[in-house]
Amino acid sequence: MAYALCSAIVGLALAWAAAHRLSGRLPQRSLVLPTGAGGGLVGGLVAYAVMGPGNLGLALVISAAVSVAMLSLLHGRSARPAPRATAAPRIP
């Protein structure tokens, strides 16, 4: 129970920080916050299943990594247009 709760809190904190810092590039907070918490929860539970009890610190690190990976899927394109490639000179 502690693993799940701590992992969800870590994911929620990362999602809140990402929503606050990258508000222009992420969708609405109502999607970002549950995605971060869910990613943290999945990462923590997988870490618990693989390593077993007694590794809470490592499980939290893994849950943070999974949460960041899930949030990166929501990350949109930049507001700036992509730079255009210059045309190569033609060789006659």
Side-chain angles (χ1 to χ4, degrees), residues 24-27 71-79:
R25 295 178 138 188
L26 290 173
L71 290 170
S72 72
L73 296 175
L74 296 177
H75 191 267
R77 289 183 146 187
S78 174

Side-chain angles (χ1 to χ4, degrees), residues 21-80:
R21 183 116 168 121
L22 302 170
S23 62
R25 295 178 138 188
L26 290 173
Q28 298 174 349
R29 280 191 182 197
S30 61
L31 180 64
V32 173
L33 296 179
T35 300
L41 183 63
V42 167
L45 292 178
V46 167
Y48 179 79
V50 170
M51 296 182 302
N55 295 312
L56 181 61
L58 189 56
L60 293 179
V61 170
I62 293 171
S63 70
V66 172
S67 179
V68 167
M70 294 292 288
L71 290 170
S72 72
L73 296 175
L74 296 177
H75 191 267
R77 289 183 146 187
S78 174
R80 292 183 304 194

